[in-house]
Amino acid sequence: MGKNKLKKFAEIEQLECVLQYPRERIVAEGFPFKGEWHSLFGNSNPIVLELGCGKGEYTVALAKRESKKNFIGIDIKGARLWSGAKTVTAEKISNAKFLRTEIENLHEIFDSGEVEEIWITFPDPQMQKVRKRLTSTGFIMRYGGFLKPKGRIHLKTDSPFLYEYTRRLVMKNNLEVKEDTADLYGSGLADPVKSIKTFYESQWLARGKTIKYISFLISDNMNLEEPETEDIEKDDYRAFSRHNPTINHYSSNL
């Protein structure tokens, strides 16, 4: 591990806005704040999660725009969380926190009905691995364990494959759609919250990719079925290089 990553890990250990509970710690200790998140924020405002938050840009921007909600950015990569956590600390943003853990652990971290909304922003579409897809039936049923009744899930993505897959899953299972567009910025739906742009989203837009967005509500009966996907065309590009985000990485066999 590089010295810079080690420095970041040391720093986030000291930041009050960061909780670190990877799987091994949960197994050893449990999670002491399940059902107590409102006490950590010091208010009873709705709790909103961003899954796979990366550097925390979206979490921070959401917290700044919506002061009457509490936001938690979640990622397993501590060196990524560092950037957002430093901003929250420096700017004294009281309604944002970060949680370092695997998304698979969230049912052990949040109590039933403790979360109001979930944002999933530009996740890996996992075109070959359904079980790792953050909008798969398996994950959505897990989310239902801690979302409020009729809790809302937002997906914002550059991936045509993931967008179409999620639309089909929602339709097959009769979940209530709130908003749906294959071109967010050309649809008139891009309000100030949905228009928040991270560094990588700006790169996608500069590349000429349209941003897709769908939001839907969980149902009372969460015995979901997977949709048919064999005819969904695979994305013809990969994510940006971490070292040079202007490089295209094309592949038709992802």
Side-chain angles (χ1 to χ4, degrees):
M1 185 181 293
K3 290 183 179 179
N4 193 39
K5 279 191 175 181
L6 288 172
K7 180 182 177 182
K8 289 178 178 179
F9 272 115
E11 285 192 27
I12 64 172
E13 288 280 357
Q14 308 304 316
L15 298 178
E16 292 184 2
C17 65
V18 180
L19 288 81
Q20 300 195 70
Y21 281 86
R23 183 65 190 167
E24 59 270 21
R25 184 176 183 187
I26 293 174
V27 170
E29 305 175 15
F31 185 76
F33 305 112
K34 184 176 182 179
E36 302 295 332
W37 278 95
H38 284 109
S39 67
L40 291 179
F41 282 103
N43 61 55
S44 59
N45 293 339
I47 292 173
V48 181
L49 311 183
E50 184 196 1
L51 307 186
C53 69
K55 294 181 179 181
E57 298 163 280
Y58 219 91
T59 298
V60 170
L62 284 169
K64 287 181 175 181
R65 284 199 172 275
E66 300 200 287
S67 61
K68 298 301 183 182
K69 294 182 180 181
N70 300 315
F71 296 89
I72 305 170
I74 298 168
D75 207 296
I76 190 56
K77 301 291 187 181
R80 294 181 191 172
L81 294 178
W82 174 87
S83 179
K86 290 284 284 186
T87 299
V88 165
T89 301
E91 298 186 18
K92 298 180 179 179
I93 301 171
S94 61
N95 64 326
K97 295 187 183 296
F98 291 94
L99 173 65
R100 188 172 79 84
T101 195
E102 299 88 348
I103 292 170
E104 291 84 352
N105 298 331
L106 296 186
H107 66 287
E108 299 184 53
I109 289 174
F110 296 97
D111 210 352
S112 176
E114 196 166 19
V115 175
E116 189 95 6
E117 299 176 62
I118 290 174
W119 279 85
I120 305 173
T121 52
F122 300 95
D124 185 331
Q126 296 289 350
M127 288 180 283
Q128 300 294 349
K129 299 178 180 178
V130 177
R131 65 182 178 82
K132 291 189 175 183
R133 212 171 287 159
L134 294 185
T135 57
S136 69
T137 57
F139 272 110
I140 291 177
M141 286 190 287
R142 287 180 185 176
Y143 306 152
F146 53 81
L147 276 168
K148 289 182 179 296
K150 298 294 184 180
R152 188 165 179 171
I153 296 174
H154 306 259
L155 172 68
K156 194 177 181 187
T157 181
D158 62 281
S159 166
F161 174 87
L162 183 62
Y163 169 68
E164 180 59 24
Y165 163 80
T166 305
R167 288 185 77 249
R168 291 190 185 189
L169 184 150
V170 167
M171 300 304 175
K172 182 178 180 67
N173 292 284
N174 297 311
L175 301 179
E176 182 181 346
V177 176
K178 301 303 290 185
E179 293 179 296
D180 178 15
T181 176
D183 183 5
L184 178 62
Y185 298 108
S187 67
L189 295 177
D191 61 22
V193 170
K194 292 191 285 291
S195 294
I196 293 169
K197 297 180 183 68
T198 64
F199 172 79
Y200 284 105
E201 180 177 350
S202 297
Q203 294 292 331
W204 293 125
L205 290 167
R207 189 190 278 188
K209 301 296 181 184
T210 58
I211 304 303
K212 296 92 171 68
Y213 170 81
I214 183 170
S215 69
F216 55 95
L217 307 184
I218 64 166
S219 66
D220 296 330
N221 178 13
M222 290 292 284
N223 186 22
L224 305 181
E225 297 181 12
E226 284 288 332
E228 296 293 331
T229 61
E230 291 182 2
D231 63 327
I232 302 179
E233 185 176 352
K234 298 292 196 297
D235 299 340
D236 62 353
Y237 61 96
R238 293 182 185 272
F240 285 109
S241 165
R242 292 281 177 190
H243 302 292
N244 187 348
T246 64
I247 294 176
N248 289 335
H249 296 271
Y250 290 95
S251 172
S252 59
N253 297 307
L254 293 177

